[in-house]
Amino acid sequence: KNAFRNCVGFFGSLELPDSIKIIKDYAFCNCCGLNNTLKLPYFIETIGSYAFNNCSQISGSLEIPESAIDLQSFAFCNCTGLNESLIIPDDIINLSDGLFYNCYNLIGELALPDKITSIGNYTFYNCFGFTGSLKIPNSVITIGIGSFYNCYGFSNELILSDSIIIVDDYAFKNCSGFTGNLILPKTMLLIGNS
């Protein structure tokens, strides 16, 4: 943990060796001087909580390798410099709390993996750069508090999972760009506030 935390003087790209399988909590937290692209290891399996939190100048796309199976809470929180697409691997089952919190410069359509069962609290909070429609895969059962809060860039349909049970408080608050019919599945047990 905390291996390079608060090393604000590093700059340029961050290219991590392909042999790395685990990046622990807070590993590069507050390395806000890094000001170019991030290349994650090809064989990465786990990215810990807050691993890249506040790496606000890392730019380009964020491509998470297919080997990744565990993306922990707030791992990429406040990576506001990321300014291209987001690619999430197919085998991810849970999108953790705050995973891409405030990554508002990520752009394009957001493709969610077909195997995910839950989208955590504040996962895509303030990611208003995403556009187009949003399809929640049929595997998803819960959408947490504020998951897509302020994601007003979406500009087409919102398609909810057929098996969803919970859409929690503020899940889609301020998502004013959605259009078309809103169809709520018969499986739903809870719709939160606002």
Side-chain angles (χ1 to χ4, degrees), residues 24 36 38 48 51 57 61 65 72 74 81 95 101 104 137 181 186:
K24 287 194 170 183
N36 210 315
L38 169 65
Q57 294 194 79
S61 61
Q72 296 178 6
F74 295 91
L95 292 176
Y101 184 101
Y104 52 75
N181 293 323
K186 294 177 182 178

Side-chain angles (χ1 to χ4, degrees), residues 4-8 10 12 14 26-38 50-60 74-82 101-103:
F4 297 98
R5 187 174 184 176
N6 297 330
C7 291
V8 297
F10 291 132
L14 179 59
Y26 298 93
F28 296 96
C29 181
N30 294 328
C31 289
C32 53
L34 294 168
N35 59 359
N36 210 315
T37 55
L38 169 65
Y50 296 91
F52 297 97
N53 180 44
N54 287 333
C55 291
S56 56
Q57 294 194 79
I58 288 176
S59 60
F74 295 91
F76 297 98
C77 175
N78 292 322
C79 288
T80 55
L82 293 169
Y101 184 101
N102 206 37
C103 293

